[in-house]
Amino acid sequence: MTSAAEQRALAEGRAAGNGQPAAVVSGARRAMPPSPPVWPGAPTPLGARFRVGPGGVPGTNFALWAAGAEGVRLCLFDERGRETQAPLTELTHEIWHGFVPGVMPGQRYGYRVDGRWDPWTGARWNPAKLLLDPYARAVDGEFRLPPEVYGHVRDWPEQHVADTVRDDRDSGPHVPKGVVVDDDDDWEDDRRPKTPWADSVIYELHVRGFTKLHPGIPPELRGTYAGLAHPAAVEHLVKLGVTAVELLPVHQFAHEDHLLRRGLRNYWGYNSIGYFAPHAAYAASGTTGGQVGEFKRMVRALHAAGIEVILDVVYNHTAEAGELGPTLSLKGIDNRGYYRLQGDARRYADYTGCGNTLHVVQPQVLRLITDSLRYWVTEMGVDGFRFDLAAALARSMHDVDMLSPFLAVIAQDPVLRRVKLIAEPWDIGSGGYQVGAFPPLWTEWNDRYRDTVRDFWRHALPDVREMGYRLSGSSDLYAWGGRRPYASVNFVTAHDGFTLRDLVSYERKHNEANGESNRDGTDDNRSWNCGTEGESDDERVRATRRRQLRNLLTTLLLSTGVPMLVAGDELGRTQRGNNNAYCQDNEIGWLDWSLLDDPDWRPLFDLTSRLIALRHRHPVLRRRAFFSGRAASADGLRDLAWFTSRGEEMTEGDWYAPAATLGMYLSGRDIPGRDERGAPVLDDSFLAVLHAGDRPVRFVLPGAPWAAAYEVVVDTAREDQTGAPGTVHPAGAEVLVPARSVLLLRVDRP
């Protein structure tokens, strides 16, 4: 036992003898088998790469960047978990490396890194902790968080100094291991869809949640990459008509301690720890390397159906959290090199709300991220990325900087500049909200679109100025620097927040199942419950909700920009009012496929697929350039015009006046650009009438020169949308637009 004074001395780093911090908890060392031979090998590529070595001997080259380390030991594990250590003695440009003959694919491994324990200067080396290779391409085992996996004494009595007291217990038996993978796949039989941005319709989905309850997928494949590749899953995507799936994080991730203590898990996966490894729990083919091939086969199956694969990636922080978080990988390899630290180097700069922020200005961190991105494109076949909290990646030393090293490297990279790049253009730090600020090549999640459309349909906008911008491509945000309308990824819902059905069923969040006393999740939902909170047996309430869903989906799919749907919104999926289901790996978070057979909800799928098909057929709905609003011919017709319910073009005063009705005229003869053969792009013209009022309105259809007649294509007041309504109205006619509805009319010109 140590006295209180001795404990305090240890916590402050004043251990007797040499002034170095000391461990207070240690574990007995097991006898190690003899070290295998280690040849010099090569410092590149980083990670573990199986190859044929000198003299034709097969083996694996291991290379790890650990700039400030004093030594690195490679740890190999047999099928019983017995560990063999092999020192890597070669050091080239801060990279420790060696070739181990006889190490074959399937071998499990990790590292122990020696160095100073001096948290006051940010040094947190602890060789008792087995570390995951940042470049591991497969991971075997699940991350659990017993005390042994923390580099410090997690349960130290004085928590304010706990992170300074080193824990010498061996974490090896308690943490997952990297797996050596054979990479002999050349993708010669794969054909990428290469869908142009303007033609894209994105579908955000969770691999496990989308497939877990699907009746057409064999039970053993549900919840997996193989399940998403199954014809039954692909068939739904093809029928719906989407061009890309945006997968919630599939990088290897870990569950947070506070969730595990409550018997929950991180379901969404925004807690990455392995940037090269597909998350092993989503694999039906095992976790000793088979997950890599399974992921590739999933990509191939989606590509064969004409569907691109976009990954939601989390390079802004890792699962190691702050100074009180576990030591799993980067923290124990070179804490000061990988993470942004404060002036007090014990503490982490946190622009993410997750405890740490990767120091992307550091060349080696930038290399880790770009190597990972290129790997997923060139070796795993993906077509693009959505960057979580992208503003954190664009920070230079402190401020968000659109000339930052990260953005500069992406712009010149011959691989990455050719794939789809989507920014979540904010973080939680000062100056972190950057919607509209990312440079050309990038598209952005447009939360101003989300908020405006929600407010319009709950009749909460003071006027329709903002709605006009959002419907027509958000030129106020993106018409600079050569950016195009497809810089705006339009969405009404995302994984984070209410589902579309819950948006019209709840005005308050109901997150009690998360175990945080309903404190988590946003209170700014901009939702309307149609008069009753939660599910209702009142058919009038239910009918109003279904109409509101049709309005929201129709608005989204008629807007200029790139629409993004959330998996299940086309089915009327509910999370029972939970607007932060990040830890709900259960029926709350999974898709309920029985809704497809429910007569109340099947028409919603039919309307959604019909609207997407309409968008694909008509280039006027997916313009590649912003509207000019100017007349291009002597008859005075413009490419875009706005009308009041009186059938008159809107004046400046109309834009500022309270209104619930907006008419938008899209001209199909004034579309900029030419087709692939150089011919002008011509299309039908359309008039969309959006009415958010709670009473019907009489709308006068514009007369000459705009049209001779109008044919109704979509009427959201109708429950059944399986066929076009087809009603034709003469120009100048007064039509009754029901409360809370959209009319889309095809123009018949003189």
Side-chain angles (χ1 to χ4, degrees):
M1 294 290 291
T2 57
S3 68
E6 289 171 326
Q7 290 178 346
R8 190 173 300 109
L10 291 171
E12 294 174 355
R14 298 193 298 269
N18 59 9
Q20 293 296 311
V24 287
V25 181
S26 60
R29 295 293 184 194
R30 295 172 295 169
M32 293 290 175
S35 298
V38 180
W39 299 348
T44 57
L46 290 168
R49 290 288 177 135
F50 173 72
R51 62 180 176 83
V52 175
V57 177
T60 298
N61 192 83
F62 295 90
L64 177 73
W65 180 84
E70 296 172 1
V72 172
R73 283 172 284 161
L74 170 67
C75 305
L76 305 174
F77 294 85
D78 66 15
E79 63 279 358
R80 296 185 180 180
R82 292 177 298 191
E83 179 179 349
T84 301
Q85 295 186 1
L88 299 182
T89 58
E90 299 293 326
L91 181 60
T92 304
H93 302 313
E94 302 179 330
I95 297 171
W96 302 77
H97 56 92
F99 178 85
V100 185
V103 170
M104 306 296 284
Q107 173 67 57
R108 300 186 304 148
Y109 74 100
Y111 292 108
R112 298 184 187 273
V113 181
D114 295 285
R116 292 184 307 115
W117 175 263
D118 188 11
W120 292 267
T121 62
R124 293 184 177 272
W125 284 285
N126 185 342
K129 307 306 166 184
L130 185 75
L131 306 174
L132 183 69
D133 179 4
Y135 281 72
R137 290 178 296 153
V139 176
D140 179 48
E142 188 169 351
F143 285 95
R144 302 188 184 278
L145 299 178
E148 290 85 351
V149 307
Y150 290 76
H152 66 281
V153 181
R154 185 179 70 177
D155 301 322
W156 186 253
E158 298 172 310
Q159 278 292 294
H160 67 286
V161 293
D163 69 289
T164 70
V165 186
R166 197 179 73 191
D167 186 325
D168 268 356
R169 287 176 292 187
D170 181 11
S171 70
H174 308 283
V175 293
K177 282 75 178 174
V179 181
V180 177
V181 174
D182 190 7
D183 53 350
D184 59 353
D185 198 328
D186 59 12
W187 287 91
E188 287 186 356
D189 60 339
D190 184 61
R191 295 294 181 269
R192 295 177 184 263
K194 298 182 179 179
T195 307
W197 258 126
D199 300 338
S200 297
V201 178
I202 297 174
Y203 189 74
E204 187 192 42
L205 68 80
H206 188 289
V207 169
R208 179 170 168 82
F210 183 78
T211 60
K212 185 62 178 175
L213 299 178
H214 198 300
I217 298 174
E220 66 273 14
L221 300 183
R222 295 175 188 171
T224 69
Y225 307 118
L228 185 53
H230 191 273
V234 176
E235 180 185 23
H236 180 81
L237 301 172
V238 172
K239 284 184 176 179
L240 188 57
V242 298
T243 67
V245 292
E246 182 177 304
L247 306 182
L248 267 68
V250 295
H251 288 165
Q252 185 71 43
F253 62 86
H255 306 294
E256 295 91 332
D257 181 66
H258 70 91
L259 291 177
L260 295 173
R261 288 173 185 248
R262 298 202 302 270
L264 298 170
R265 299 160 61 86
N266 187 316
Y267 171 58
W268 286 348
Y270 290 91
N271 206 36
S272 300
I273 195 62
Y275 290 130
F276 291 77
H279 189 61
Y282 299 160
S285 53
T287 62
T288 57
Q291 60 265 50
V292 178
E294 184 177 331
F295 185 93
K296 292 179 179 180
R297 290 189 291 274
M298 176 198 73
V299 172
R300 281 192 174 91
L302 292 167
H303 282 179
I307 298 169
E308 294 184 303
V309 178
I310 298 170
L311 303 188
D312 194 334
V313 290
V314 189
Y315 294 112
N316 55 76
H317 75 281
T318 76
E320 293 186 298
E323 60 270 12
L324 295 178
T327 298
L328 305 173
S329 182
L330 307 181
K331 185 180 289 186
I333 294 171
D334 195 323
N335 186 58
R336 296 178 297 188
Y338 279 109
Y339 292 114
R340 289 180 180 266
L341 304 179
Q342 298 183 23
D344 172 5
R346 272 180 63 194
R347 314 297 182 191
Y348 292 77
D350 183 9
Y351 297 109
T352 67
C354 300
N356 64 55
T357 307
L358 279 178
H359 201 353
V360 181
V361 175
Q362 293 277 16
Q364 190 56 41
V365 180
L366 188 57
R367 178 182 180 183
L368 170 68
I369 294 172
T370 53
D371 282 354
S372 168
L373 292 169
R374 282 189 292 268
Y375 171 77
W376 287 95
V377 174
T378 60
E379 298 192 42
M380 302 295 274
V382 306
D383 306 285
F385 305 93
R386 179 265 187 188
F387 292 82
D388 181 65
L389 299 183
L393 299 173
R395 290 183 181 271
S396 290
M397 295 310 296
H398 299 288
D399 296 334
V400 178
D401 177 7
M402 292 305 159
L403 298 176
S404 66
F406 172 74
L407 295 178
V409 166
I410 296 291
Q412 60 78 44
D413 189 284
V415 172
L416 302 180
R417 69 188 182 198
R418 299 177 63 182
V419 302
K420 287 183 165 66
L421 303 171
I422 307 171
E424 183 183 35
W426 52 78
D427 64 21
I428 69 165
S430 175
Y433 186 76
Q434 295 289 325
V435 171
F438 274 72
L441 289 183
W442 288 81
T443 65
E444 300 174 14
W445 271 25
N446 187 351
D447 67 330
R448 288 183 60 178
Y449 179 93
R450 174 198 65 196
D451 293 349
T452 300
V453 171
R454 289 185 179 193
D455 281 347
F456 178 81
W457 283 111
R458 67 189 182 109
H459 200 6
L461 287 178
D463 51 53
V464 292
R465 285 177 295 158
E466 186 90 355
M467 191 65 172
Y469 276 121
R470 303 307 148 233
L471 289 171
S472 59
S474 296
S475 60
D476 58 328
L477 299 176
Y478 301 110
W480 63 273
R483 303 189 81 184
R484 299 297 183 94
Y486 46 78
S488 176
V489 174
N490 298 330
F491 66 104
V492 179
T493 58
H495 66 274
D496 186 3
F498 281 148
T499 67
L500 202 65
R501 177 173 168 182
D502 288 354
L503 189 67
V504 301
S505 304
Y506 297 88
E507 292 188 2
R508 302 183 304 277
K509 65 188 181 185
H510 296 267
N511 298 355
E512 291 80 6
N514 296 353
E516 299 178 39
S517 301
N518 207 35
R519 293 189 302 269
D520 63 304
T522 183
D523 293 312
D524 182 20
N525 295 296
R526 300 171 188 251
S527 58
W528 177 52
N529 63 16
C530 300
T532 300
E533 184 72 1
E535 295 300 311
S536 174
D537 294 328
D538 187 329
E539 183 52 38
R540 289 176 300 178
V541 171
R542 293 162 61 90
T544 300
R545 289 175 175 175
R546 292 194 296 270
R547 182 180 296 191
Q548 286 289 83
L549 293 182
R550 294 193 293 271
N551 292 335
L552 290 162
L553 285 168
T554 301
T555 302
L556 175 65
L557 291 166
L558 294 182
S559 297
T560 301
V562 179
M564 184 185 78
L565 298 163
V566 178
D569 276 354
E570 77 280 12
L571 308 177
R573 173 177 168 259
T574 177
Q575 291 179 169
R576 306 170 197 166
N578 192 320
N579 74 351
N580 190 34
Y582 77 105
C583 56
Q584 297 300 321
D585 189 5
N586 49 45
E587 287 81 358
I588 293 176
W590 304 337
L591 265 68
D592 179 4
W593 290 95
S594 69
L595 294 168
L596 264 180
D597 300 320
D598 188 322
D600 278 350
W601 299 111
R602 174 69 196 209
L604 190 65
F605 172 83
D606 294 333
L607 172 64
T608 307
S609 59
R610 184 164 166 261
L611 286 166
I612 293 174
L614 186 74
R615 186 180 181 90
H616 288 324
R617 287 197 305 271
H618 292 285
V620 71
L621 300 178
R622 42 188 174 82
R623 287 173 56 103
R624 288 162 166 76
F626 287 106
F627 295 97
S628 70
R630 295 187 297 270
S633 56
D635 59 13
L637 284 178
R638 292 186 294 281
D639 57 0
L640 173 68
W642 303 96
F643 291 90
T644 68
S645 60
R646 302 183 302 274
E648 300 170 351
E649 285 194 72
M650 292 181 66
T651 66
E652 184 174 359
D654 291 325
W655 285 111
Y656 286 85
T661 309
L662 185 62
M664 178 177 66
Y665 184 98
L666 306 173
S667 173
R669 76 175 191 186
D670 300 306
I671 301 173
R674 295 181 293 173
D675 65 17
E676 293 178 348
R677 296 175 178 267
V681 178
L682 298 174
D683 193 14
D684 292 329
S685 297
F686 291 91
L687 175 68
V689 180
L690 296 86
H691 176 53
D694 58 4
R695 295 182 179 181
V697 66
R698 295 189 178 278
F699 192 97
V700 177
L701 300 176
W706 303 100
Y710 297 85
E711 178 190 5
V712 177
V713 177
V714 174
D715 178 0
T716 64
R718 294 164 51 103
E719 285 276 2
D720 185 5
Q721 296 285 329
T722 54
T727 305
V728 177
H729 299 283
E734 185 179 82
V735 297
L736 185 67
V737 182
R740 300 187 183 92
S741 63
V742 179
L743 270 181
L744 180 67
L745 306 107
R746 182 183 288 109
V747 170
D748 180 12
R749 284 208 178 97

